[in-house]
Amino acid sequence: MPFILPPTIHDALVTRLLRRLTAVDSDEPLTIDFSRVGFYEPGAVIALLTRLRHWKEKGRQLSATGIRQSPSKRYLQRIDFFAHLGIHLEEDFERLPAQSRFVEICRIKNSQVNALASKVARCMASQCEEPEEIRSCFAYILGELIANVDQHSGGAGFLSAQHYPDKGSIHVAVGDCGVGIRRSFEGTHLEEQLRTPRAALEKALEPTVSSALLRPPSGPYQGRNNRGLGLSMISKLISETHGQFRLFTENAVYEQIGDVSFKFDETSHTHPGTLASLSINTDEITNFNEVIGEISNRVEPSELDEWDEMFESPKDELDSSP
Amino acid sequence: MNLTLRLKDTFGPFLGDGAEGNEFRCQKIEPFWDSYERIILDFEGVDSMTHSFVNAFVGNLVEAHPRDFREKLVFKNCSPLVKTFIKGALSFAKTRIPA
């Protein structure tokens, strides 16, 4: 009996897809029927791709059917969805430039945070009215989310992004099937306290909390690589810009729409690892600097003027060695 | 004598990776901390960054050198956004320095 994928999955309803995927989670061979797949937003694309890759890597026998009949076959081919599953189909179309509407699905590997975040943000922002502000905002968000993949899955994850100019929004999703947030706290003093995925998820959203911060620095370079601000700052950014943010780890779900948020346990689905999906209304980002300044000051109120003497303008140039 | 480091030459216009920021600090700054009067971090061409990067880079420097970081470090050619990130990291790191 093939597993029939639903025709439409908006990011707001990714849980529906996760529920269906969880229902067929086993070691048994599975045929996935793509024939009805029409419109999938980035959160759904990454949820599906990471799950199928996870099954494949565990040795589950998978086969695909109905790809030719799928109304979105070309789109999925164009964003390299099938290629990332090892399904290589002949393309009956010419690969035209994405024209800033989407990026091909990116495989996240170690040490590519700067280049990948920068590239995707530049592409997503180029057709917006405030391209510099949007680019800075998305580079920031993607940089923090990719760094999270590095922390929770050893750097192996996937990223998808899509600009919907008609809706005035950009959607991005970053996901992995790594250890998830709860297990990333293992070996820290919070391990006992954070026994459930939901408790760990709530903790990870608090400012200045990170499993990396709770461990003694290790490796050749002493010092922390992460101060645990990323997810909480993204959440505040979403609140300021009236966007949407969803975070799934195992059976715990965080859902935020503007400044209203919910955290709950799902009984009928899990996502092995971590999946983050968010959307931002492009016309809400007119001054990213102001937004970052405001939310930074809310996290750690301070007199920022006290640091002014450490900054130098080009005309005050000092003697310097190369 | 001063040491000048141009961040864009190493990282490009976006500074996102905290691990790289920490590595850069350990390789390019810490060994020379006492050898130079001032260490000038030149952000010309840097558009933006993440909190992960700035806290791993600037925050760790402040924590490692709580007594003389103010006199030693100079941030140069910072855009308003970059300045906001750095000031936030300085404030955050200050709270972690034992009194």
Side-chain angles (χ1 to χ4, degrees):
Chain A
M1 185 78 162
F3 169 59
I4 302 172
L5 288 166
T8 301
I9 302 282
H10 293 274
D11 281 346
L13 297 171
V14 164
T15 46
R16 282 191 189 175
L17 178 63
L18 295 177
R19 208 170 290 145
R20 289 185 186 216
L21 290 166
T22 303
V24 292
D25 191 17
S26 77
D27 295 329
E28 297 296 310
L30 184 71
T31 299
I32 299 122
D33 185 342
F34 285 86
S35 62
R36 296 172 62 198
V37 171
F39 180 73
Y40 278 33
E41 288 186 331
V45 168
I46 294 300
L48 181 59
L49 176 62
T50 51
R51 183 71 66 111
L52 296 179
R53 292 263 323 188
H54 178 63
W55 283 337
K56 275 187 74 147
E57 282 159 18
K58 281 196 334 182
R60 187 174 190 185
Q61 198 182 320
L62 299 176
S63 56
T65 185
I67 292 177
R68 278 183 194 195
Q69 293 78 35
S70 164
S72 95
K73 176 194 161 205
R74 286 179 175 175
Y75 172 71
L76 291 173
Q77 275 186 291
R78 180 65 184 83
I79 62 171
D80 294 336
F81 178 88
F82 295 117
H84 282 297
L85 288 172
I87 302 171
H88 298 285
L89 306 166
E90 199 171 320
E91 294 184 349
D92 58 358
F93 59 90
E94 188 185 348
R95 279 197 172 228
L96 298 171
Q99 294 183 320
S100 310
R101 294 288 295 271
F102 62 87
V103 290
E104 288 86 5
I105 295 170
C106 307
R107 177 130 197 228
I108 298 168
K109 293 177 192 155
N110 288 324
S111 305
Q112 56 170 202
V113 177
N114 299 342
L116 186 54
S118 211
K119 180 188 113 179
V120 175
R122 190 176 302 277
C123 178
M124 287 294 100
S126 62
Q127 298 296 316
C128 294
E129 277 186 25
E130 304 274 1
E132 292 305 308
E133 303 297 330
I134 302 288
R135 183 164 57 80
S136 296
C137 177
F138 272 92
Y140 174 81
I141 289 170
L142 291 167
E144 296 291 7
L145 290 179
I146 295 167
N148 255 39
V149 168
D150 198 29
Q151 191 178 331
H152 296 139
S153 75
F158 290 92
L159 180 161
S160 175
Q162 178 83 41
H163 182 195
Y164 299 102
D166 297 346
K167 291 199 289 183
S169 64
I170 294 173
H171 291 225
V172 299
V174 172
D176 65 67
C177 282
V179 298
I181 295 177
R182 181 180 56 91
R183 285 187 53 205
S184 74
F185 283 100
E186 282 178 0
T188 74
H189 73 273
L190 288 177
E191 181 180 353
E192 282 298 301
Q193 196 182 322
L194 304 177
R195 287 184 171 199
T196 66
R198 182 173 162 190
L201 177 65
E202 287 179 0
K203 190 52 101 178
L205 284 158
E206 288 178 17
T208 73
V209 172
S210 163
S211 55
L213 191 58
L214 299 170
R215 286 201 180 81
S218 60
Y221 306 112
Q222 293 296 298
R224 315 284 181 178
N225 294 341
N226 187 331
R227 297 283 163 167
L229 282 173
L231 289 178
S232 68
M233 294 299 276
I234 288 173
S235 168
K236 287 180 173 57
L237 189 56
I238 292 294
S239 175
E240 289 287 325
T241 58
H242 310 104
Q244 300 194 14
F245 180 31
R246 292 174 184 84
L247 192 55
F248 306 88
T249 180
E250 300 180 76
N251 72 328
V253 182
Y254 173 79
E255 191 152 8
Q256 179 183 351
I257 298 169
D259 53 8
V260 179
S261 64
F262 315 88
K263 300 175 191 96
F264 52 93
D265 295 320
E266 266 285 347
T267 50
S268 58
H269 78 67
T270 64
H271 176 77
T274 309
L275 171 67
S277 143
L278 59 85
S279 65
I280 280 196
N281 301 316
T282 52
D283 56 359
E284 296 281 352
I285 311 278
T286 52
N287 192 334
F288 181 60
N289 181 30
E290 208 170 85
V291 175
I292 280 291
E294 274 176 28
I295 57 182
S296 298
N297 203 40
R298 229 178 293 149
V299 171
E300 193 56 64
S302 60
E303 288 296 328
L304 296 180
D305 292 349
E306 76 166 288
W307 307 113
D308 279 344
E309 62 191 28
M310 296 180 74
F311 289 83
E312 179 193 294
S313 60
K315 62 184 175 191
D316 306 324
E317 191 156 348
L318 300 167
D319 294 335
S320 62
S321 60
Chain B
M1 194 73 158
N2 300 317
L3 169 68
T4 297
L5 298 166
R6 286 171 51 87
L7 281 293
K8 190 187 175 189
D9 292 348
T10 302
F11 301 107
F14 177 66
L15 316 182
D17 191 333
E20 284 185 8
N22 193 32
E23 186 180 329
F24 185 78
R25 173 187 72 89
C26 292
Q27 288 185 337
K28 304 288 184 189
I29 299 179
E30 295 296 358
F32 310 108
W33 187 265
D34 293 323
S35 310
Y36 290 93
E37 191 181 340
R38 305 185 89 177
I39 294 171
I40 300 165
L41 302 174
D42 188 339
F43 288 82
E44 186 174 17
V46 173
D47 300 334
S48 188
M49 58 182 69
T50 60
H51 282 97
S52 295
F53 181 92
V54 73
N55 287 319
F57 181 48
V58 176
N60 281 334
L61 273 175
V62 170
E63 283 185 49
H65 305 280
R67 291 185 182 173
D68 59 348
F69 76 91
R70 281 176 188 266
E71 293 74 38
K72 183 81 74 173
L73 292 176
V74 177
F75 303 105
K76 188 176 168 187
N77 292 320
C78 299
S79 70
L81 178 60
V82 167
K83 224 180 231 184
T84 300
F85 274 110
I86 294 172
K87 285 182 172 183
L90 290 168
S91 296
F92 182 51
K94 193 180 151 192
T95 65
R96 299 181 63 85
I97 299 172

